[in-house]
Amino acid sequence: MSEADFEAFYRSIFLPLVRRATWRHGLSKEDARDVVQDAFVLAIAKMDVTGNPRAWLIQVVDHLSLNYQRKSLRRAQLATKWGFRNDSETRAERALESSSAAGESDD
């Protein structure tokens, strides 16, 4: 994939992936953008362009979003345990719980 092709692909799929991470996984827009950006960094290193790059990126964004939520929940739990707590950790904990409940209803 040429650099121009990759840039066009990036521009066409970046915002839909951000929306997916926001809506499906309950991430804030800023966190979703970070997750999608991380997915593209992985894509540069690992993506097989002969396959389906769109499907590959969707799967990577889903996995990275779940990992981000788990990390946020773990940090919130540790902050509670150690007596530190802030609103963003509370929101992350609620987002993970709601996406877990939504994931159970999708089955």
Side-chain angles (χ1 to χ4, degrees), residues 13-23 29 32-33 36 61:
I13 197 169
F14 183 81
L15 289 178
L17 288 174
V18 170
R19 282 192 295 269
R20 179 182 181 88
T22 302
W23 294 338
K29 288 181 183 178
R33 286 179 179 271
V36 173
V61 166

Side-chain angles (χ1 to χ4, degrees), residues 68-87:
Y68 181 85
Q69 289 176 324
R70 287 184 193 122
K71 182 171 57 172
S72 295
L73 178 61
R74 179 69 180 142
R75 285 182 178 170
Q77 290 171 339
L78 289 174
T80 300
K81 179 179 178 181
W82 293 336
F84 300 105
R85 190 91 172 158
N86 69 35
D87 290 338

